[in-house]
Amino acid sequence: MAQGKKLVIVESPTKMRSIQGYLGDDYEVLSSVGHIRDLADKKDIPAEDKKAYGKYSIDVENGFDPYYVVSDRKTKTVAELRRALKSADEVLLATDEDREGEAIAWHLLETLKPKVPVKRMVFHEITKDAIQAAVGNTRELDLALVDAQETRRILDRLYGWDVSPVLWYKVKSGLSAGRVQSAATRMVVERERERMAFVSAEYWDVEAQASSTGAAFGVRLVRVDGGQLARGTDFDDTGKLKKAVVVLSEADAEALAAAVDAAGTATVAKVEAKPGTRSPYAPFTTSTLQQEAGRKLSMSAKQAMSVAQRLYEKGYITYMRTDSVALSTQAIQAARSQAVALYGDSAVPLKPRVYKSKSKNAQEAHEAIRPSGERFRTPASVSSGLDREEQRLYDLIWKRTVASQMSDAKYETTTITLETEAAGKQVEFTASGTVYTFKGFLEAYEEGRDEKRNAQDSSADQSLPAVAVGDELAIGESVAKGHRTTPKPRYTEASLVKALEEHGIGRPSTFASIIGTVIDRGYATKRGQALVPTWLAFSVVRLLEQHFADLIDYDFTAALEDDLDAIARGEQNRVEWLKSFYYGSENQVGLRQVVDNLGEIDARALNSTRITDDATLRFGKYGPYLEVVDPASPEAKPRIVNVPEDLAPDELTADKARELIDAPVAGDRVLGENPENGKIIVVKDGRFGPYVQENDPVSDDDSVDEATGEVVDKPKKKTKKDAAPKPRTASLFRSMSVDTIDLDTALQLLSLPRVVGADPATGEEITAQNGRFGPYLKKGTDSRSLESESQIFDVTLEQALELYAQPKYGGRKASSALKEFEADPVSGKPIRIRDGRFGAYVTDGETNVTIPRGQTPDDVTFEIAVQMLADKRAKGPAAKRGAKKAPAKKAPAKKPAAKKPAAKKPAADKASATSDAEKAAARSEAAKKAAATRKANAIAKADAARAAARAGS
């Protein structure tokens, strides 16, 4: 790099390319690809520092000083930044203007230790004007924001590392707890508890058709002898009536319907016409964007944020992590101009709309989420540069922003009340209709709605005829309608985000990852859009409520966010606050004191829920089951009854439990005899799914139930000498059922792998088989995935050869990619995430990297994908088997020096024991090789255990 250039560091490779074009040759723009360092793992802390930092990588006794290390994946990035820094005359830290962005900038400053001037450059959109304005308006690093981020990171480490082990020992290994994730899990569980406690009630009404001069409209019974008829809203959350109303039975409703038809006429008693207005919604914040993307586009919160990140980095929208609903003067003018151009002069009010939020946190510095630039690009004009998901989200943001500056919608609601006498009772019917006299902002946008309770009570809007009080109308076609009250709907991702925000828990920018963690940990599953808690979540929440009540309290959790905001504003000292949280104070019991005084925890009680007098739901190693006690022999060993995996907790009622208990126990169903060897083929339903098995012929000691086809074994003693080879087994395809599979299909399964034919070019045999990761073809060591299990039996040799003629990864189908990104900066080829035989992987057509376990394709952003490919290339080709390389010795890390916020100077780098990138890369490679070996051994051991379990089930 030529002398005199300025080094600009951003956190995103996509931003890097966009900004470089706006700044020109006098600047070099590089990316940190997110955080370059984080709290150390225990193994990375030198022996001499383990006493102070060993438990949390935090010295809790000395100012909660954190021990940071540069990530193994970022050693090459740091080396590249240091290279560029050598010839730079100025550094501009251009990471996002929020706590995370400020912390990334601080870590860069601490690690690189530049000797040239350093400035903080911030912007809210990636346009030429915004970037050039940011270069001319730099500021100092905001250490209060850094303190707030560091405090949150330390808080989460202390919380998670102290509470999670309790869950491992008392509920299940591999679980986690966190200040926001645990509160979110509790919300989902509490909603399910409400549904379990809810008692549905029945109520009836009457609907009829009224007509005036041939114009018919629907009416609904609302009063009987002056008493208001029951509606769903008259029942509380437990299903009980909240006030005195008339509750009709089915017989009463049908009698009234017949009487109304007999009467034949009704008189107009009242006509009310009420005008009304609806105002547009504020522009999107992070939270409302996640909610609307869920409602209207069926995107998860994580997916919505990932797509929004891409739109921001490509320069289409402003920064997508914000709690502000405010728009700049430039944006207001752009929205108003576009509304007038599209919908006319009356589409906007005389004065611009100004929105304000009540939030006081640091993200208020940003605008609301809106299209970037001083003139908004329409969705049609940008479609060529966006993929489908980006196009859909941009369209949503554009419509919401334009609509936010448009005029109110105006409407008029007319309600007609009819009276008549039926079966000696005075009854009243009503009908309502709404007509919009001016649509206003609704021309551009209408917000989606979450599922509502008692929707059956709402009358559909309809066109009503002009009538006057005293008019007599014909009435007939009366029908009695029955309704049942419903419990509160389960949370969706959108409604959970809304609830978290209303409680003040967490930050909208973290909601996506929090909900992802709740699902990944097995605390909830998705049924359509609804989040259904698992019994595992019930056990976890029960433990936290009983032993960590303060930590899971909604008000306490919200107060933590307020305190972090105070630290971000410089109003609170982070060390004093952490001392109060961890060690306790006059106002709260410290985390350390709670953990040290837990006392005895009854794990069995935590994992138990009484369903009936004789049945208890228990959560065990392999999931939920019913433990049933025989009332006649209470001391006898309880009977175990499996609970279907797809049965939601609120669906396990006493009646359902009795149904499961009384259901006949399914045994092994005999399909027939294998004509080749005379062995008996049976189908079984094992712990790991249904499968067929080939057994020896039935002996004299066994019998077959002629009615059910089940083999009934008589008990017999076996010795080691009696041990025989394990019988052949084969798993059923997903499309097959234990109840319907026949002998021919079972024999086909047992015959796998199927020989498709031989490759005429090499003579190698090609087989089709079903594996752990789905159906595939195999030729020597080369494999190809099949699209469906049925192809195992149907694929021809010609089709197999055609499949092998195509590239192994990518290119077979343009639509097969799970996600697509821009071109890789090194190879220049598009980056895609594909689903392969061994799971999802990242590829640019040349280099392939498997996505680690515990992560999903939604977790992988463009920056992460670029880094994964770069790391794989840096490692070079895999070493040949048998070649051994001595691991590089690891130099001890230096003890980090304390940070000095007041001086606003970088502290000693706690990250590095050495600045030598090559040594760090060698350590990284050795560690990864060891981890890969451990992983392979663990997989092999798990596979063997599964095979043994299946054979024995």
Side-chain angles (χ1 to χ4, degrees):
M1 183 174 70
Q3 184 68 31
K5 283 192 176 182
K6 294 177 173 57
L7 175 62
V8 179
I9 305 177
V10 296
E11 78 275 30
S12 159
T14 304
K15 276 194 203 178
M16 177 181 75
R17 291 190 294 276
S18 300
I19 294 173
Q20 182 69 71
Y22 296 141
L23 292 180
D25 295 336
D26 291 337
Y27 295 81
E28 180 174 11
V29 185
L30 295 177
S31 168
S32 68
V33 196
H35 278 279
I36 60 169
R37 66 178 192 172
D38 195 6
L39 292 174
D41 290 333
K42 294 179 182 178
K43 60 182 176 59
D44 294 327
I45 299 176
E48 63 270 21
D49 289 326
K50 282 193 181 293
K51 183 176 181 181
Y53 294 94
K55 184 172 182 181
Y56 310 103
S57 301
I58 300 163
D59 188 350
V60 296
E61 296 181 359
N62 291 287
F64 292 86
D65 188 44
Y67 196 103
Y68 294 114
V69 293
V70 171
S71 165
D72 288 340
R73 293 171 57 178
K74 295 302 176 68
T75 52
K76 185 177 179 181
T77 301
V78 172
E80 177 67 13
L81 292 172
R82 283 184 171 138
R83 177 204 62 75
L85 184 60
K86 290 178 181 178
S87 52
D89 63 4
E90 186 176 82
V91 175
L92 295 172
L93 299 174
T95 52
D96 293 336
E97 192 187 14
D98 58 12
R99 295 176 194 170
E100 289 296 323
E102 209 74 14
I104 291 172
W106 179 77
H107 282 294
L108 286 166
L109 193 63
E110 293 281 285
T111 303
L112 300 177
K113 301 180 178 64
K115 294 181 172 58
V116 295
V118 177
K119 296 178 181 177
R120 182 77 168 96
M121 169 183 163
V122 295
F123 45 87
H124 303 146
E125 61 183 4
I126 303 176
T127 60
K128 185 174 182 179
D129 290 344
I131 297 304
Q132 291 180 347
V135 171
N137 293 277
T138 58
R139 63 167 172 79
E140 295 293 323
L141 196 67
D142 189 336
L143 290 178
L145 286 181
V146 176
D147 277 348
Q149 189 278 339
E150 187 171 69
T151 304
R152 181 201 61 76
R153 185 71 184 90
I154 292 172
L155 165 64
D156 288 344
R157 174 63 64 94
L158 297 174
Y159 189 126
W161 284 30
D162 266 349
V163 180
S164 296
V166 182
L167 301 180
W168 305 343
Y169 300 139
K170 297 300 180 181
V171 181
K172 184 182 179 182
S173 62
L175 301 181
S176 67
R179 65 187 172 89
V180 182
Q181 88 168 250
S182 295
T185 303
R186 182 188 176 195
M187 283 184 179
V188 175
V189 168
E190 285 190 334
R191 177 59 53 87
E192 195 73 5
R193 287 172 176 168
E194 290 175 344
R195 291 174 64 88
M196 294 167 74
F198 185 81
V199 179
S200 183
E202 185 180 60
Y203 62 97
W204 288 74
D205 60 17
V206 176
E207 294 180 5
Q209 290 289 312
S211 59
S212 171
T213 63
F217 57 97
V219 294
R220 174 180 282 185
L221 181 66
V222 292
R223 289 184 182 82
V224 177
D225 283 341
Q228 183 178 329
L229 208 62
R231 291 280 178 266
T233 52
D234 296 323
F235 297 83
D236 63 20
D237 292 340
T238 66
K240 296 178 181 179
L241 281 171
K242 296 185 288 188
K243 60 182 180 180
V245 290
V246 177
V247 180
L248 294 181
S249 66
E250 181 178 5
D252 293 338
E254 289 180 344
L256 276 176
V260 169
D261 283 347
T265 60
T267 303
V268 177
K270 188 186 302 181
V271 178
E272 291 181 301
K274 294 183 178 179
T277 60
R278 286 180 60 188
S279 297
Y281 308 97
F284 280 133
T285 62
T286 302
S287 170
T288 54
L289 177 64
Q290 291 173 10
Q291 292 173 49
E292 276 293 86
R295 297 185 191 111
K296 289 195 167 184
L297 308 181
S298 297
M299 287 185 179
S300 67
K302 184 181 293 185
Q303 185 183 7
M305 291 304 293
S306 176
V307 177
Q309 178 90 32
R310 299 203 301 270
L311 287 172
Y312 167 63
E313 291 174 354
K314 290 180 179 180
Y316 289 99
I317 64 171
T318 54
Y319 192 54
M320 67 290 157
R321 293 188 179 91
T322 175
D323 295 330
S324 174
V325 292
L327 291 175
S328 65
T329 303
Q330 178 192 68
I332 290 174
Q333 185 56 46
R336 288 171 62 87
S337 298
Q338 207 148 55
V340 169
L342 292 170
Y343 307 111
D345 292 339
S346 61
V348 297
L350 292 176
K351 292 183 179 180
R353 293 184 182 275
V354 178
Y355 296 93
K356 294 182 180 180
S357 62
K358 298 178 181 180
S359 176
K360 298 183 296 182
N361 63 67
Q363 274 117 315
E364 273 296 282
H366 300 304
E367 280 188 81
I369 304 169
R370 63 168 178 87
S372 60
E374 58 184 25
R375 290 180 59 84
F376 296 164
R377 290 167 283 186
T378 62
S381 69
V382 300
S383 59
S384 60
L386 303 177
D387 63 30
R388 180 174 178 272
E389 295 305 302
E390 292 167 352
Q391 172 75 14
R392 294 170 72 211
L393 194 64
Y394 181 82
D395 180 73
L396 195 67
I397 294 168
W398 177 86
K399 286 179 177 177
R400 176 83 166 219
T401 308
V402 172
S404 73
Q405 287 301 313
M406 292 177 66
S407 301
D408 289 343
K410 298 179 181 179
Y411 62 89
E412 185 175 82
T413 299
T414 301
T415 302
I416 299 174
T417 302
L418 304 179
E419 291 182 346
T420 190
E421 185 174 322
K425 300 178 185 293
Q426 194 71 20
V427 296
E428 293 182 20
F429 289 82
T430 63
S432 294
T434 298
V435 176
Y436 278 91
T437 56
F438 177 67
K439 294 202 72 173
F441 75 94
L442 294 176
E443 294 278 8
Y445 180 84
E446 182 163 10
E447 188 174 64
R449 299 179 183 275
D450 293 319
E451 180 186 351
K452 297 285 187 182
R453 292 175 68 190
N454 308 310
Q456 69 274 13
D457 293 339
S458 301
S459 299
D461 281 338
Q462 56 185 320
S463 178
L464 299 178
V467 296
V469 174
D471 287 356
E472 189 172 89
L473 308 182
I475 189 168
E477 299 181 34
S478 303
V479 179
K481 291 275 188 173
H483 308 281
R484 297 201 69 85
T485 56
T486 57
K488 289 182 179 179
R490 291 189 179 95
Y491 284 112
T492 61
E493 289 199 30
S495 59
L496 183 58
V497 164
K498 184 178 181 180
L500 288 168
E501 186 175 44
E502 287 174 348
H503 280 84
I505 296 172
R507 280 286 170 259
S509 58
T510 67
F511 289 159
S513 61
I514 291 299
I515 295 174
T517 300
V518 170
I519 295 172
D520 293 343
R521 290 289 184 270
Y523 298 152
T525 59
K526 294 190 74 171
R527 180 183 291 182
Q529 294 296 311
L531 293 170
V532 183
T534 61
W535 288 108
L536 171 63
F538 275 71
S539 297
V540 168
V541 170
R542 188 179 290 128
L543 185 151
L544 294 174
E545 287 175 334
Q546 292 177 7
H547 300 279
F548 299 94
D550 286 344
L551 294 182
I552 204 172
D553 179 76
Y554 298 141
D555 291 338
F556 176 79
T557 306
L560 295 182
E561 295 295 342
D562 292 339
D563 290 340
L564 290 174
D565 289 344
I567 293 172
R569 297 191 298 269
E571 300 168 3
Q572 178 82 269
N573 180 280
R574 79 172 190 91
V575 174
E576 293 302 318
W577 186 87
L578 284 168
K579 282 182 179 178
S580 175
F581 170 79
Y582 189 68
Y583 291 112
S585 64
E586 294 180 0
N587 300 323
Q588 70 180 72
V589 178
L591 172 65
R592 185 72 260 153
Q593 187 173 345
V594 173
V595 173
D596 289 344
N597 295 279
L598 284 175
E600 291 296 323
I601 297 178
D602 187 343
R604 184 175 177 81
L606 282 175
N607 293 286
S608 302
T609 302
R610 179 60 65 87
I611 305 298
T612 66
D613 291 339
D614 62 340
T616 300
L617 185 288
R618 300 202 189 280
F619 187 86
K621 182 178 181 181
Y622 299 105
Y625 62 91
L626 285 174
E627 189 177 82
V628 185
V629 176
D630 184 355
S633 304
E635 301 301 323
K637 184 177 179 180
R639 177 185 160 201
I640 302 301
V641 177
N642 288 330
V643 174
E645 290 184 4
D646 58 350
L647 190 69
D650 76 327
E651 295 168 355
L652 186 60
T653 61
D655 291 341
K656 183 63 178 179
R658 182 51 53 193
E659 178 186 327
L660 294 173
I661 294 168
D662 295 341
V665 179
D668 304 340
R669 187 165 67 89
V670 176
L671 299 178
E673 182 180 302
N674 187 338
E676 294 183 359
N677 55 25
K679 292 192 175 184
I680 302 300
I681 309 301
V682 298
V683 60
K684 298 170 174 277
D685 196 354
R687 176 173 290 164
F688 300 101
Y691 63 101
V692 292
Q693 181 172 298
E694 187 180 64
N695 292 335
D696 290 328
V698 179
S699 69
D700 293 338
D701 293 330
D702 296 331
S703 61
V704 176
D705 188 321
E706 294 181 1
T708 64
E710 292 183 21
V711 176
V712 182
D713 298 317
K714 293 183 179 180
K716 52 187 176 181
K717 294 183 178 179
K718 289 187 177 182
T719 65
K720 290 184 179 179
K721 293 182 180 180
D722 297 326
K726 291 182 178 179
R728 285 197 302 165
T729 62
S731 295
L732 268 63
F733 291 173
R734 293 180 182 177
S735 57
M736 298 176 181
S737 166
V738 171
D739 299 325
T740 59
I741 188 172
D742 56 24
L743 177 62
D744 291 339
T745 306
L747 291 173
Q748 280 186 307
L749 292 174
L750 289 168
S751 69
L752 296 178
R754 167 180 165 252
V755 177
V756 178
D759 186 337
T762 63
E764 287 185 287
E765 189 176 74
I766 301 175
T767 60
Q769 47 196 300
N770 206 17
R772 182 181 174 195
F773 301 101
Y776 66 100
L777 294 173
K778 187 174 184 181
K779 181 177 68 172
T781 58
D782 194 4
S783 62
R784 292 289 190 277
S785 295
L786 294 172
E787 292 183 358
S788 66
E789 293 170 320
S790 62
Q791 284 186 294
I792 295 175
F793 297 135
D794 301 336
V795 67
T796 64
L797 178 60
E798 291 74 17
Q799 291 170 332
L801 293 174
E802 182 182 346
L803 205 55
Y804 272 102
Q806 297 173 7
K808 182 168 185 177
Y809 298 111
R812 292 212 297 262
K813 280 189 177 181
S815 62
S816 64
L818 302 177
K819 288 177 74 173
E820 296 188 16
F821 299 112
E822 295 179 4
D824 181 77
V826 176
S827 68
K829 296 184 178 181
I831 297 176
R832 294 182 173 91
I833 298 180
R834 297 189 180 279
D835 194 7
R837 179 183 172 193
F838 299 102
Y841 63 95
V842 176
T843 180
D844 64 349
E846 297 178 355
T847 306
N848 304 321
V849 191
T850 301
I851 295 176
R853 289 189 177 186
Q855 292 187 24
T856 67
D858 283 342
D859 297 327
V860 180
T861 62
F862 175 73
E863 296 75 28
I864 294 175
V866 169
Q867 187 65 43
M868 290 172 69
L869 293 170
D871 291 343
K872 183 67 177 289
R873 293 189 197 100
K875 290 173 64 176
K880 295 181 179 180
R881 289 186 178 182
K884 294 184 179 180
K885 182 179 179 181
K889 292 184 178 180
K890 188 173 181 179
K894 297 178 182 178
K895 185 175 180 179
K899 185 180 65 178
K900 299 178 181 179
K904 294 187 179 179
K905 293 181 180 179
D909 189 0
K910 303 168 187 173
S912 56
T914 174
S915 62
D916 191 332
E918 293 181 358
K919 288 183 178 180
R923 290 198 306 273
S924 172
E925 183 177 352
K928 289 178 179 177
K929 284 180 67 178
T933 301
R934 291 194 299 271
K935 181 177 178 181
N937 291 339
I939 291 174
K941 186 176 180 182
D943 286 344
R946 289 190 186 95
R950 171 165 288 182
S953 60

